[in-house]
Amino acid sequence: MASCVARSFAVPGLNKALSLANLNDSHDVYNELLDDSQQPEVSQTHIQNLAELFVRHNAHTKLGVHLIHGHFKTPLNTVMLGTNIEDPYGCWTKATATDTIDLSNIHGHIFALRSAGGFVAYEYQDGPMPDLSAINEAFLTEFFLYLARNDLSSLLGFQVRLEGAPESMFELILDQGTIMLDEASVHGCSASRQTGWIFELKDKEPRTCAANETHAKKTSGNHQVFNAGKPQPKLASVADLKEALVTAEILS
């Protein structure tokens, strides 16, 4: 197995150090994204083809496929940055001022292919860049070519898998942020659209796992956890977030 990922692709936040300019690019990319409801359906043929590609290059152990989408416009000089939470397991991603971020201790989480021909992270995650040494160096090149040849660059990207994440997670929309939660811990919500796919090798064949990430909505039909037009709860800490989710009857 080769020792590095696609030498022809130096991707800031994945296998190349980040700069403030990279974060500014990410902000601009995020604010151009369509909502997932505006994206066309993803062909299962493409998902199966990508399962084969990911498994063949051993990329499935660290990376997955993601539906490219955003949910709101973020303020100037901010970027979407996620932090893992526990009890229940989750990931709180919110618009974060770029001048408060330690560039040496974050990595790209979700990446899109831009028209210039390179991958750009549009969401980030706390922690150092992932160890991708077991992934074949040709992976990013082949993934790039598959997206380009099938006109999928505005529909599908890739993401770094969250360590220790349960198989199925619900994504809920907050004010200037999102929260991913273990589906088993969420109340009063239902699946709206699958947004993430992970793969595995089973019986020597590439296989798509059960829905890894799904945009969820409240059973009332609202896609936002907290009602628009009403005062939004102050979410200054994880404790604040959990308390607000309990009040909204999302968590118990």
Side-chain angles (χ1 to χ4, degrees):
M1 192 69 68
S3 61
C4 65
V5 174
R7 294 191 184 103
S8 59
F9 275 95
V11 182
L14 184 72
N15 56 11
K16 180 183 178 182
L18 285 164
S19 68
L20 182 59
N22 296 140
L23 299 191
N24 291 335
D25 288 343
S26 298
H27 167 270
D28 294 343
V29 168
Y30 188 90
N31 281 356
E32 295 173 357
L33 299 179
L34 297 176
D35 185 81
D36 61 271
S37 64
Q38 299 173 299
Q39 288 281 39
E41 291 299 315
V42 180
S43 162
Q44 287 304 306
T45 298
H46 286 313
I47 295 300
Q48 187 55 42
N49 289 345
L50 290 170
E52 189 279 329
L53 190 156
F54 273 63
V55 169
R56 175 160 45 86
H57 289 291
N58 203 39
H60 65 293
T61 60
K62 293 288 186 178
L63 307 175
V65 169
H66 199 77
L67 179 76
I68 295 173
H69 68 285
H71 296 295
F72 39 73
K73 303 298 183 184
T74 56
L76 190 64
N77 298 321
T78 66
V79 71
M80 292 292 284
L81 177 62
T83 301
N84 286 351
I85 66 172
E86 297 179 354
D87 191 30
Y89 183 96
C91 178
W92 182 16
T93 302
K94 56 183 177 178
T96 304
T98 54
D99 61 4
T100 68
I101 295 174
D102 177 1
L103 296 179
S104 67
N105 195 39
I106 65 168
H107 62 273
H109 176 48
I110 306 176
F111 297 80
L113 180 61
R114 309 311 296 160
S115 57
F119 289 103
V120 176
Y122 65 83
E123 289 191 12
Y124 291 86
Q125 184 78 7
D126 280 341
M129 289 186 288
D131 178 8
L132 305 178
S133 59
I135 300 177
N136 189 290
E137 66 178 23
F139 166 70
L140 283 180
T141 300
E142 289 203 28
F143 184 58
F144 161 79
L145 290 173
Y146 189 89
L147 296 180
R149 289 169 177 168
N150 291 281
D151 196 24
L152 296 172
S153 60
S154 62
L155 181 64
L156 296 176
F158 72 90
Q159 68 175 14
V160 177
R161 293 176 59 173
L162 296 171
E163 293 288 340
E167 186 172 88
S168 294
M169 299 187 73
F170 272 176
E171 177 193 35
L172 301 167
I173 305 173
L174 309 172
D175 180 42
Q176 288 293 305
T178 64
I179 179 71
M180 296 287 301
L181 291 168
D182 182 353
E183 179 183 346
S185 68
V186 175
H187 307 292
C189 295
S190 60
S192 175
R193 177 157 192 191
Q194 186 169 350
T195 57
W197 296 262
I198 57 174
F199 311 115
E200 64 180 355
L201 184 63
K202 188 172 184 179
D203 299 326
K204 299 182 179 180
E205 294 291 334
R207 174 181 175 271
T208 304
C209 299
N212 176 246
E213 292 183 4
T214 303
H215 176 197
K217 62 182 178 181
K218 297 175 72 174
T219 50
S220 63
N222 291 335
H223 284 262
Q224 288 194 321
V225 171
F226 308 115
N227 292 332
K230 293 186 177 181
Q232 298 291 306
K234 183 180 179 181
L235 304 179
S237 67
V238 172
D240 290 342
L241 173 63
K242 289 182 178 181
E243 181 180 353
L245 291 174
V246 169
T247 300
E249 300 182 333
I250 301 297
L251 296 179
S252 57

